[in-house]
Amino acid sequence: MTAEPVPLRPVRPRWRETLGLLVRNKVALGAALVLLAIIVVAVFDRAFAPQSANAQDIADRLQAPSWSHPFGTDNLGRDILSRVIIGASVSLKVGFLSVGLALVVGTLLGLLAGYYGGWVDDVLMRLMDMLFAFPAVLLAIAILAIRGPGTSNTIIAIAVVYVPIFARVTRASVLGVREEVYVRASRSVGASDFRLLTRHVLPNAAPPIIVQTSVSLAFAVLAEAALSFLGLGTQPPNPSWGLMLAEGREFIGLAWWLAFFPGMAIVVTVLCFNLLGDGLRDVLDPRQRTLMAGGGR
């Protein structure tokens, strides 16, 4: 008697399974939703800001939070809520562009170093070690001292700081992937290095890079705030969270809200990036992924 075939469960695409596991992580999901809201506000800042960022009203200077000014006003009568909202676009633009630039350059260097090894690995990694030897903020300050302050130069400075981090993470991941059976099999049938790198090595080395990107975004926002606080980043009258902290420190005993609200914006944004990074690490780590998937059955 022939046994009836057992119907197989349809294989879910990997991205759908990853998204499903991430949604089940309530902390990471909450952080992602808050970040999404912050990004939407930053992109459509002019629509959400009740006033212009630089609209002055000396008669209302240093007003405490109220219905007309929920975050209060600064020493020039400018609405703090409007400046926090418009400053979000500046701070997040610097964070995303600098990390994006570092991601592209660092990942490319790490791919080449990890895949080819030998003298290519030695030269590229020694160069990365030279950059990595400098404290991050001091290296960014040195670059800005040479190029001059400003938003564009801040993006370049932060990107240079994070290139070695992405290069090292990518190299370490590639070293574990390049000798896998599927890579050697593809190489044995004549696949080009470009095809191996783009179709096999990079996709399977991507999880640690994705997690590092989320963590780096958090520190990039902090770095931009630190550089603007020191007067090397965004220049007045354009608002950014770090610059608003620098302006508010002079009135901290008289008007606490000047520094409190931009400071809280930095705290919430950085915390959400870190929580999302933790969630992505759990979801993309094969061991944690197996435990999470098994716990849901």
Side-chain angles (χ1 to χ4, degrees), residues 4-5 111 150 156 165 167 170 189 255 274 295:
E4 295 183 1
L111 271 175
I156 295 174
I165 298 176
T170 303
V189 297
N274 283 328

Side-chain angles (χ1 to χ4, degrees), residues 231-276:
L232 297 173
T234 304
Q235 299 298 298
N238 298 321
S240 80
W241 294 338
L243 182 59
M244 294 177 67
L245 282 176
E247 294 171 347
R249 64 176 174 173
E250 301 177 7
F251 302 91
I252 195 68
L254 179 64
W256 55 268
W257 53 90
L258 268 68
F260 176 79
F261 290 110
M264 286 303 300
I266 296 172
V267 170
V268 171
T269 303
V270 171
L271 178 62
C272 287
F273 273 125
N274 283 328
L275 292 176
L276 179 59

Side-chain angles (χ1 to χ4, degrees), residues 203-227:
N204 289 283
I209 302 173
I210 295 172
V211 175
Q212 182 60 49
T213 300
S214 178
V215 175
S216 295
L217 284 169
F219 285 101
V221 171
L222 280 177
E224 188 281 330
L227 294 172

Side-chain angles (χ1 to χ4, degrees), residues 150-166:
T151 302
S152 299
N153 290 336
T154 301
I155 293 173
I156 295 174
I158 297 175
V160 171
V161 168
Y162 284 101
V163 163
I165 298 176
F166 280 103

